[in-house]
Structure formats: structure tokens, C-alpha cells
Amino acid sequence: MDIKSQEYTFGIGENYHLQDLLGSHIDEDGGAHFRVWAPNALNVEIIGDFTDWQSQPITMTKNESGIWYGYSEKAKCQDFYKYLVTRENGQKIEKIDPMATYFEARPGTCAILEKNKKFKWQDSLWMGRRKRFGFKERPVSIYEVHAGSWKRHSDGRSFTFTDLRNSLIPYLKKMNYTHIEFMPLMAHPLGLSWGYQLMGYFGFEHTYGHPDEFKAFVDECHKANIGILVDWVPGHFTQNDDALAYYDGTPTYEYQDPNRAHNIGWGAFNFDLGKNQVQSFLISSALYWIENFHIDGLRVDAVSNMLYLDYDQGPWTPNKNGEHTNLEGIAFLQKLNSVIKTYHPDVMMIAEEATSEIPITKAITDNGLGFDYKWNMGWMNDILRFYQYDPYYKQFDYYLLTFSFMYCFNENYILPFSHDEVVHGKKSMMHKMWGDRYNQFSGLRNLYAYQICHPGKKLLFMGSEYGQFLEWKSEEQLEWSNLEDDLNAKMQYFTSYINQFYKDNKPLWQIDDSYDGIEIIDADNKEESVLSFTRKDKNGNFLLCIFNMTPVERNHFTIGVPEAGIYEELINTEMKEFGGVWTQHNPKTKTREQSWRNYDQTLSFTLPAMGASIWKLKRRLKKKTIKSTK
């Protein structure tokens, strides 16, 4: 596509590879072209290593599209540069290149001139399988990671992706996760933001190494059959004055209306999602990460903030209908998902969204937003509240455990125990659990077994897999020394074991989007606080899943079961190898012909205290028939 055509599609919001038009482009014969969108600037100049900075700036020329063009024959690969923007009031300010793919190390914000080198990918087998099998009827167990604090060097430096390739990938394989999700990897000026206050939407965060290091990491993950998801923040951006904020001196990327532009709660600016050029910019960013880095999915952060005009603190301006929904935000998200699915239907689009007013994963043709998955924040809040209770009181709020069965297929869900739940005084996952240290680990194993068995894909934040006691600290590495404790080490082994169990058993993931995949046996046993249900696959195979929410071992516990036969216990969360006290499983058990609720077969066994027990039908038996006496 020629430049004029690229400018035209940019202006109508349909340029989805904007990096080919804007940004810096190094010539083969030396020198570099620069293009930046700043429609209301009085003047824009290029400054950098090749201009002795402001002493010899290069003047740029603006065209009718609001794009400034410039060229330097002295510019070369690895030079630092910025744009010097003269605003309407005559103020001059140094600004980042919004299209830069790499920036200098913090606290600097200079863009670095980079050649677009071809990377030799070796993940064709993975990419082919991804296209063929997709992800909806596949196991998805996600390990959520903050790249800067999973592990650190002894001097406190963050690991680069070369370091992570050599250490994190073997760990993912050991722990049997199917996917890893990284908190934002795009350039951000403050590490304490965890990457959620972005500056560079095409730039790889310098702290984590070079972009090619991340490509090598992704390539190695794919060869190990591990998918890569990355958090992406298209709703708001950092308010730092040298970044996108009021780029040309007027609202450029943000809304004109200050009520919509200013995100008071997060100290940020909201993107004007109705502006064509902003749509081109953001959708190009999403496709850039998917295509340039072979990303398998994006988790779109803070979707609620893009859907509701009154989501933030302070005053808000209603839409044209006098309502609180952000019509431009809804249209943008529908457009985003439509474009992504047109180019890459096998890429996973996930929404971090906590309301129920607007359907998130419904088809766009059915007035949904077209996401593949939505984080089930309601389930997460209810379940964590329930598991923290003293066991005696669980019977009174038993609905917290079972309420999700009323709506669990209204959307396609991911069940998240994310970073947000282990910071700001909320305590770590292990520390949330009731009781002494032994019971806390019992509760945690029970909780993770429940997450694995409940319909929906799974996500767990780093450190939670082995029961780290302290809250997550983004400026320090995880408390790996915890693994010197036997209970932590066994907790880690349990998580690895149950992740593999999840992958190996189709009933736990093949039907995750309808009641065809689950049958509730007993969701009313409040007095004993025991829940039981089956998970089923398309061939009629099923698993019995029973959860005891109190520290009381229940001998001769009886439930109804769908079929007569001999059942085998596959998982008992109170086994000694996991940190419990049981040295052997319940024996294989034959059903008894007996009426129990809607069932005519029952199974009796010992239900472990504060434990989960998962069973499989080992051998079917014919039901007895009663001969007529007539």
C-alpha cells in the first residue's frame, strides 16, 4: 500500500499496520525517515544523537493528514532520538515517538533507532496446531507472571527474557501449565505501575531486555507446547508530559471532554476511543504484538473503564442518549475483536471485566463485544470470601460456593486467582485460608481442586502455586526460600500434579460452555458443607467431584451417582505426598442400588477432612432387574 493510501486508512480508522507508515524507518543505504502524527502542533523537529540534540534539530514538514515528515542522512541504528514539539502557545516540549519499538532504559524515554531484522521462527508446528485445534475445547491452565519479579539477580536486577528462557520455561514444563500470561511488557515509565500505565504501545520494555530476546522466549515456549498471553491496556495511558499526553498541545490521543479524558482514580488519561486515528493506533498495536511476537492471546485490561462513563471517580458526562454507557468504547471493542478475528481467528481475546450489564463474550451480531473469554470476577470474590470463613460459619453463607452455577455459562469464563488478589493487604492465597498452617494448606489444595473442576479456564498468579505466605512485592523476587519448608514443597508438587490431571482428563475442559458438561449431584448440603457434582465430556465419560469444606472427616459418606459400577478415587487432596495425612487412597468401591434423590445408585466412601475427592467410573455394571411375580 502506498503512503497516500496508508494516510487515508489512518484517517478513517482502518490502518491496522500503522507502524509501516509512522515512526522511524532506517534506509538500506543509511539515514532514516521519521513520521509522527501531531495535527495541531505549530512545529515539530527531530532531535537526537545525530543532531547533537537541540543544537542542530531537523525540521519536519506537515501534510494535510496532520502527519509531520522528516529525514536525517546521519541517523543510524541504535541512535537515541525524540521529537521536539512546539505547541500552540509557543511552548517547546520533548516527546517520545509513539511508534517506537524500543526505548532507552528508565528513567530515560528516548526512542532507539532499530532495524526491523527478520527473526527465524521455529514454531511452525505449534502455530499449525493452534490454527487446527483452537483453544475452546482444549485445556487452558494459565500461570500469570510479572516478568520483573518472578526471579531477580543477586544484585537486584530484573531477569531479562534470556534469563527467563533458561529458567522460567523449564519451570512451566515442570508445573504442567498450558499457558503463561505476562503482565504488560510494553514500555512504561514506572515499574511500580506493574506495566498498567503505558507509554509505548509498540515498544518492548527495556527492563526485560531486547525485543529479540522475547521472540526467542516465545519460540522456545511454543516448542515446549506452552502458549503465550500478554496483558494489553487500550483504555488509558500514563499522564507523563513527555509521552502521549496532550501530544501536540491539544487533546490528541485523549478525549476532548475533560470529564472523559481524565482518569482520576488511576492518575491517567483515557484514550478517545471514538477518534479514527486512535482506533488505527490501538488496533495496530494489538496486531503488532500478535504478529511480531507470535502472541497467542491478549488480555485486555480494565474493560469496564472503557464501557461505562461513570466508572471512574468524579464528574462524568452522559452519552448522547443521556445514559452512562460509553458508546464509542463499545463500538471500539467490537471493532477490535472483529479485526483481530479476521486476521487471526485462532488468537485468544480475553476481557478483564467485572460487570454484567453488557455481554462480553457474546457474538458481535448478538450485540456482544466478541471476546473469547471474560475473567469471572464474581466467582473469584465469592469463592475467596467463602474459603476464608471459619468452617462453622460456612453453612450460613453456603450460597457463595454454589451461586456461580446459576450463571457460569452466561459468558465464556476464565477463573482467575490473579495478582490483584495478593497485594494491598489482601494477603497471599495461602494466608487467606482458615486455620493453622496445616489447615491453610489443606484449604488451598481444596480450593485449587475446586478451581480445576469448576467449568471455565484457569489462571493462577505466580507464587500461589507453592503457597507463598507473604504478599507479592513487585520490586522483589518471589519468596523461593519458602520451598525449603516441606509443606510448601508438597504444595508445589500438588499444583503440578493437578495441572497434569486437568490436562489428562477431557471431562474437565472439553465442554466448558454449557450445562452439558456438568451435572450437580448435591448443592444443598449446607449443614455438612459438602458439594458434589460431575464433569462430563462429549463421549459421556465423567468424573465425580466432591468437596468437603470443613475439617471433619466423614466416614461412610454417601452420594448418588449417575451409573452403576466400580469407581476409583483418582485425586485425594489429603494424601501425604501432597502435605496431608492419608497414606493410601480410598479403595475401589462398588455402587449400591439405592434410591438417593434423583439417583438409583449410590457410592459410599470416606471423605477426607477439608479435602477434595475426585473419582472415575472404572467399570460399568448392569443394573439389577426385578422380575415380575405375576
Side-chain angles (χ1 to χ4, degrees), residues 428-477:
S428 69
M429 290 293 291
M430 181 267 184
H431 197 190
K432 292 178 194 290
M433 299 298 105
W434 167 86
D436 59 18
R437 185 167 170 79
Y438 177 86
N439 277 297
Q440 284 180 319
F441 276 106
S442 292
L444 197 60
R445 292 191 299 272
N446 186 314
L447 173 62
Y448 291 171
Y450 183 57
Q451 181 192 32
I452 288 293
C453 293
H454 192 287
K457 308 307 184 187
K458 328 297 176 185
L459 179 142
L460 187 65
F461 185 60
M462 64 182 197
S464 303
E465 75 276 13
Y466 62 81
Q468 176 171 302
F469 183 77
L470 296 177
E471 283 191 345
W472 169 56
K473 301 181 182 71
S474 63
E475 298 301 299
E476 300 176 16
Q477 72 170 11

Coordinates of all heavy atoms in Angstrom, one line a residue, residues 428-477:
S428 N -1.7 -13.2 50.9 CA -1.4 -14.2 49.8 C -2.5 -15.2 49.8 O -3.3 -15.3 50.7 CB -0.1 -14.9 50.1 OG -0.2 -15.7 51.3
M429 N -2.5 -16.1 48.8 CA -3.6 -17.1 48.7 C -3.5 -18.0 49.9 O -4.5 -18.4 50.5 CB -3.4 -17.9 47.4 CG -3.7 -17.1 46.1 SD -5.5 -16.7 46.0 CE -6.2 -18.3 45.7
M430 N -2.3 -18.4 50.3 CA -2.2 -19.4 51.4 C -2.6 -18.7 52.7 O -3.3 -19.3 53.5 CB -0.7 -19.9 51.5 CG -0.4 -20.9 52.6 SD 0.1 -20.0 54.1 CE 0.4 -21.4 55.1
H431 N -2.2 -17.4 52.9 CA -2.5 -16.7 54.1 C -4.0 -16.4 54.2 O -4.5 -16.2 55.3 CB -1.7 -15.5 54.2 CG -1.6 -14.9 55.5 ND1 -1.1 -13.6 55.8 CD2 -2.0 -15.3 56.8 CE1 -1.2 -13.3 57.0 NE2 -1.7 -14.3 57.7
K432 N -4.8 -16.4 53.1 CA -6.2 -16.2 53.2 C -7.0 -17.3 53.8 O -8.0 -17.2 54.4 CB -6.8 -16.0 51.8 CG -6.4 -14.8 51.0 CD -7.0 -14.8 49.6 CE -6.4 -13.8 48.6 NZ -6.7 -12.4 49.0
M433 N -6.4 -18.5 53.7 CA -7.1 -19.7 54.2 C -7.3 -19.8 55.7 O -6.4 -19.3 56.4 CB -6.3 -21.0 53.7 CG -6.2 -21.2 52.2 SD -7.7 -21.3 51.3 CE -7.9 -19.7 50.5
W434 N -8.3 -20.4 56.1 CA -8.7 -20.5 57.6 C -7.7 -21.5 58.3 O -7.2 -22.4 57.7 CB -10.1 -21.0 57.7 CG -10.4 -21.4 59.1 CD1 -10.8 -20.6 60.1 CD2 -10.3 -22.8 59.6 NE1 -11.0 -21.4 61.3 CE2 -10.7 -22.7 61.0 CE3 -9.9 -24.0 59.1 CZ2 -10.7 -23.8 61.8 CZ3 -9.9 -25.1 59.9 CH2 -10.3 -25.0 61.3
G435 N -7.5 -21.2 59.6 CA -6.9 -22.2 60.5 C -5.4 -22.1 60.6 O -4.8 -21.1 60.2
D436 N -4.8 -23.1 61.2 CA -3.4 -23.2 61.4 C -2.7 -23.5 60.1 O -3.4 -23.7 59.1 CB -3.0 -24.2 62.5 CG -3.5 -25.6 62.2 OD1 -3.8 -25.9 61.0 OD2 -3.6 -26.4 63.1
R437 N -1.4 -23.6 60.1 CA -0.6 -23.8 58.9 C -1.1 -25.0 58.2 O -1.2 -25.0 56.9 CB 0.9 -23.8 59.2 CG 1.8 -23.8 58.0 CD 3.2 -23.5 58.4 NE 4.1 -23.8 57.3 CZ 4.3 -22.9 56.3 NH1 3.7 -21.8 56.2 NH2 5.2 -23.2 55.3
Y438 N -1.3 -26.1 58.9 CA -1.7 -27.4 58.2 C -3.0 -27.2 57.5 O -3.2 -27.6 56.4 CB -1.8 -28.5 59.3 CG -2.3 -29.8 58.6 CD1 -1.4 -30.7 58.0 CD2 -3.6 -30.1 58.6 CE1 -1.8 -31.8 57.4 CE2 -4.1 -31.2 58.0 CZ -3.2 -32.1 57.4 OH -3.7 -33.3 56.8
N439 N -4.0 -26.6 58.2 CA -5.3 -26.4 57.6 C -5.3 -25.4 56.5 O -6.1 -25.5 55.6 CB -6.3 -26.0 58.7 CG -6.9 -27.2 59.4 OD1 -7.5 -28.1 58.8 ND2 -6.6 -27.3 60.7
Q440 N -4.4 -24.4 56.6 CA -4.3 -23.4 55.5 C -3.9 -24.2 54.2 O -4.5 -23.9 53.1 CB -3.3 -22.3 55.8 CG -3.9 -21.3 56.8 CD -2.8 -20.2 57.2 OE1 -1.7 -20.5 57.4 NE2 -3.3 -19.0 57.3
F441 N -2.9 -25.0 54.3 CA -2.5 -25.8 53.1 C -3.6 -26.7 52.6 O -3.8 -26.9 51.4 CB -1.2 -26.5 53.3 CG 0.0 -25.6 53.1 CD1 0.7 -25.2 54.2 CD2 0.4 -25.3 51.8 CE1 1.8 -24.3 54.0 CE2 1.5 -24.4 51.7 CZ 2.2 -24.0 52.7
S442 N -4.3 -27.4 53.6 CA -5.4 -28.2 53.2 C -6.5 -27.4 52.4 O -7.0 -27.9 51.4 CB -6.1 -28.9 54.4 OG -5.2 -29.8 55.0
G443 N -6.8 -26.3 53.0 CA -7.8 -25.4 52.3 C -7.3 -25.0 50.9 O -8.1 -24.9 50.0
L444 N -6.0 -24.7 50.8 CA -5.5 -24.2 49.5 C -5.6 -25.3 48.5 O -6.0 -25.1 47.3 CB -4.1 -23.7 49.7 CG -3.5 -22.8 48.5 CD1 -4.4 -21.6 48.4 CD2 -2.1 -22.5 48.8
R445 N -5.2 -26.6 48.9 CA -5.3 -27.7 47.9 C -6.8 -27.9 47.5 O -7.1 -28.2 46.4 CB -4.8 -29.0 48.6 CG -3.3 -28.9 48.8 CD -2.7 -30.3 49.2 NE -3.3 -30.8 50.4 CZ -2.8 -30.6 51.6 NH1 -1.7 -29.8 51.8 NH2 -3.3 -31.2 52.7
N446 N -7.7 -27.8 48.5 CA -9.1 -28.0 48.2 C -9.6 -26.9 47.2 O -10.3 -27.2 46.2 CB -9.9 -27.9 49.5 CG -11.4 -28.1 49.4 OD1 -12.0 -27.7 48.5 ND2 -11.9 -28.9 50.4
L447 N -9.1 -25.7 47.4 CA -9.5 -24.6 46.6 C -9.0 -24.8 45.1 O -9.8 -24.6 44.2 CB -9.0 -23.3 47.1 CG -9.1 -22.0 46.3 CD1 -10.6 -21.7 46.1 CD2 -8.4 -20.8 46.9
Y448 N -7.8 -25.2 45.0 CA -7.3 -25.4 43.6 C -7.9 -26.5 42.9 O -8.1 -26.5 41.7 CB -5.8 -25.5 43.7 CG -5.0 -24.3 44.1 CD1 -3.6 -24.4 44.4 CD2 -5.6 -23.1 44.2 CE1 -2.9 -23.2 44.7 CE2 -4.9 -21.9 44.6 CZ -3.5 -22.0 44.9 OH -2.8 -20.9 45.3
A449 N -8.3 -27.6 43.7 CA -9.0 -28.7 43.1 C -10.4 -28.2 42.6 O -10.9 -28.6 41.6 CB -9.1 -29.8 44.1
Y450 N -11.0 -27.4 43.4 CA -12.3 -26.8 43.1 C -12.2 -26.0 41.8 O -13.1 -26.1 40.9 CB -12.9 -26.0 44.2 CG -14.3 -25.5 43.9 CD1 -15.3 -26.4 43.6 CD2 -14.6 -24.1 44.0 CE1 -16.6 -25.9 43.3 CE2 -15.9 -23.6 43.8 CZ -16.9 -24.5 43.4 OH -18.1 -24.0 43.2
Q451 N -11.2 -25.2 41.7 CA -11.0 -24.4 40.5 C -10.8 -25.2 39.3 O -11.4 -25.0 38.2 CB -9.8 -23.5 40.7 CG -9.5 -22.6 39.5 CD -8.1 -21.9 39.5 OE1 -7.2 -22.5 40.1 NE2 -8.0 -20.7 39.0
I452 N -10.0 -26.3 39.4 CA -9.8 -27.2 38.3 C -11.1 -27.9 37.9 O -11.3 -28.1 36.7 CB -8.8 -28.3 38.7 CG1 -7.3 -27.7 38.8 CG2 -8.7 -29.5 37.7 CD1 -6.8 -27.2 37.5
C453 N -12.0 -28.2 38.8 CA -13.2 -29.0 38.5 C -14.3 -28.1 38.0 O -15.2 -28.5 37.3 CB -13.6 -29.8 39.7 SG -12.5 -31.1 40.1
H454 N -14.3 -26.8 38.4 CA -15.4 -25.9 38.1 C -15.3 -25.5 36.6 O -14.2 -25.3 36.1 CB -15.3 -24.6 38.9 CG -16.5 -23.7 38.9 ND1 -16.8 -23.0 37.8 CD2 -17.5 -23.5 39.8 CE1 -17.9 -22.3 38.0 NE2 -18.3 -22.6 39.3
P455 N -16.4 -25.4 35.9 CA -16.4 -25.0 34.5 C -15.7 -23.7 34.3 O -15.9 -22.8 35.1 CB -17.9 -24.9 34.1 CG -18.6 -25.8 35.0 CD -17.8 -25.7 36.3
G456 N -14.9 -23.6 33.2 CA -14.1 -22.4 32.9 C -12.6 -22.7 32.9 O -12.1 -23.6 33.5
K457 N -11.9 -21.9 32.1 CA -10.5 -22.0 32.0 C -9.9 -21.5 33.3 O -10.5 -20.8 34.1 CB -9.9 -21.2 30.8 CG -10.6 -21.6 29.5 CD -10.6 -23.1 29.2 CE -11.3 -23.4 27.9 NZ -11.4 -24.9 27.6
K458 N -8.6 -21.7 33.6 CA -8.0 -21.5 34.9 C -6.8 -20.5 34.8 O -6.0 -20.5 33.8 CB -7.5 -22.8 35.5 CG -8.2 -24.0 35.1 CD -9.7 -24.1 35.6 CE -10.4 -25.3 35.1 NZ -11.8 -25.3 35.4
L459 N -6.6 -19.7 35.9 CA -5.5 -18.8 36.0 C -5.0 -18.7 37.4 O -5.9 -18.6 38.3 CB -5.8 -17.4 35.4 CG -4.7 -16.4 35.5 CD1 -4.7 -15.5 34.3 CD2 -4.8 -15.5 36.8
L460 N -3.7 -18.8 37.6 CA -3.1 -18.7 39.0 C -1.9 -17.8 38.9 O -1.1 -18.0 38.0 CB -2.8 -20.0 39.5 CG -2.3 -20.1 41.0 CD1 -3.4 -19.7 41.9 CD2 -1.8 -21.5 41.3
F461 N -1.8 -16.8 39.8 CA -0.7 -15.9 39.9 C 0.6 -16.6 40.5 O 0.4 -17.4 41.4 CB -1.0 -14.7 40.7 CG 0.1 -13.6 40.7 CD1 0.5 -13.1 39.5 CD2 0.6 -13.2 41.8 CE1 1.5 -12.1 39.5 CE2 1.6 -12.2 41.9 CZ 2.1 -11.7 40.7
M462 N 1.7 -16.2 40.0 CA 3.0 -16.8 40.4 C 3.2 -16.7 42.0 O 2.8 -15.7 42.6 CB 4.2 -16.1 39.7 CG 4.3 -14.6 40.1 SD 5.6 -13.8 39.2 CE 5.8 -12.3 40.1
G463 N 3.8 -17.7 42.5 CA 4.0 -17.8 44.0 C 2.9 -18.5 44.7 O 3.1 -19.1 45.7
S464 N 1.6 -18.4 44.1 CA 0.5 -19.0 44.7 C 0.5 -20.5 44.5 O -0.1 -21.3 45.3 CB -0.8 -18.5 44.1 OG -0.9 -17.1 44.2
E465 N 1.3 -21.0 43.5 CA 1.3 -22.4 43.3 C 2.0 -23.2 44.4 O 1.8 -24.4 44.5 CB 2.0 -22.7 41.9 CG 3.5 -22.6 41.9 CD 4.0 -21.1 41.7 OE1 3.2 -20.2 41.8 OE2 5.2 -21.0 41.4
Y466 N 2.9 -22.6 45.2 CA 3.5 -23.3 46.3 C 3.1 -22.7 47.6 O 3.7 -23.1 48.6 CB 5.0 -23.3 46.1 CG 5.7 -22.0 46.1 CD1 6.0 -21.3 47.2 CD2 6.1 -21.4 44.9 CE1 6.7 -20.1 47.2 CE2 6.8 -20.2 44.9 CZ 7.1 -19.5 46.0 OH 7.7 -18.3 46.0
G467 N 2.2 -21.8 47.6 CA 1.7 -21.3 48.9 C 2.6 -20.3 49.5 O 2.8 -20.3 50.8
Q468 N 3.2 -19.3 48.8 CA 4.0 -18.3 49.4 C 3.1 -17.6 50.4 O 2.0 -17.2 50.2 CB 4.4 -17.3 48.3 CG 5.2 -16.1 48.9 CD 5.8 -15.2 47.8 OE1 6.6 -15.7 47.0 NE2 5.5 -13.9 47.8
F469 N 3.8 -17.3 51.6 CA 3.0 -16.8 52.7 C 2.9 -15.3 52.6 O 1.8 -14.7 52.9 CB 3.7 -17.1 54.0 CG 2.9 -16.6 55.2 CD1 1.7 -17.3 55.7 CD2 3.3 -15.5 55.9 CE1 1.0 -16.8 56.7 CE2 2.6 -15.0 57.0 CZ 1.4 -15.7 57.4
L470 N 3.9 -14.6 52.2 CA 3.9 -13.1 52.1 C 3.2 -12.7 50.8 O 3.1 -13.3 49.8 CB 5.3 -12.6 52.1 CG 6.1 -12.8 53.4 CD1 7.5 -12.3 53.2 CD2 5.5 -12.2 54.6
E471 N 2.6 -11.5 50.9 CA 2.1 -10.8 49.7 C 3.1 -10.6 48.6 O 4.3 -10.5 48.9 CB 1.5 -9.5 50.0 CG 0.1 -9.5 50.8 CD -0.5 -8.2 50.8 OE1 0.2 -7.2 50.6 OE2 -1.7 -8.1 51.1
W472 N 2.7 -10.5 47.4 CA 3.6 -10.3 46.3 C 4.1 -8.8 46.4 O 3.4 -7.9 46.7 CB 2.8 -10.4 45.0 CG 3.6 -9.9 43.8 CD1 4.8 -10.3 43.3 CD2 3.1 -8.9 42.8 NE1 5.1 -9.6 42.2 CE2 4.1 -8.8 41.9 CE3 1.9 -8.2 42.7 CZ2 4.0 -7.9 40.8 CZ3 1.8 -7.3 41.6 CH2 2.8 -7.2 40.7
K473 N 5.4 -8.7 46.1 CA 6.1 -7.4 46.1 C 6.7 -7.3 44.7 O 7.6 -8.0 44.3 CB 7.2 -7.3 47.2 CG 6.7 -7.5 48.6 CD 7.9 -7.3 49.6 CE 7.4 -7.6 51.0 NZ 7.1 -9.0 51.3
S474 N 6.3 -6.3 44.0 CA 6.7 -6.1 42.5 C 8.2 -5.8 42.4 O 8.7 -5.9 41.3 CB 5.8 -5.1 41.8 OG 6.0 -3.8 42.4
E475 N 8.8 -5.3 43.4 CA 10.2 -4.9 43.3 C 11.2 -5.9 43.9 O 12.4 -5.7 44.0 CB 10.4 -3.5 44.1 CG 9.6 -2.4 43.5 CD 9.9 -2.1 42.0 OE1 11.1 -1.8 41.7 OE2 9.0 -2.2 41.2
E476 N 10.6 -7.1 44.3 CA 11.5 -8.1 44.8 C 11.0 -9.4 44.1 O 9.9 -9.6 43.6 CB 11.3 -8.3 46.3 CG 11.6 -7.1 47.1 CD 11.3 -7.2 48.6 OE1 11.1 -8.4 49.1 OE2 11.3 -6.2 49.3
Q477 N 11.9 -10.4 44.2 CA 11.6 -11.7 43.6 C 10.7 -12.5 44.5 O 10.5 -12.1 45.7 CB 12.8 -12.5 43.3 CG 13.6 -13.1 44.4 CD 14.7 -14.1 44.0 OE1 15.0 -14.2 42.9 NE2 15.2 -14.8 45.0

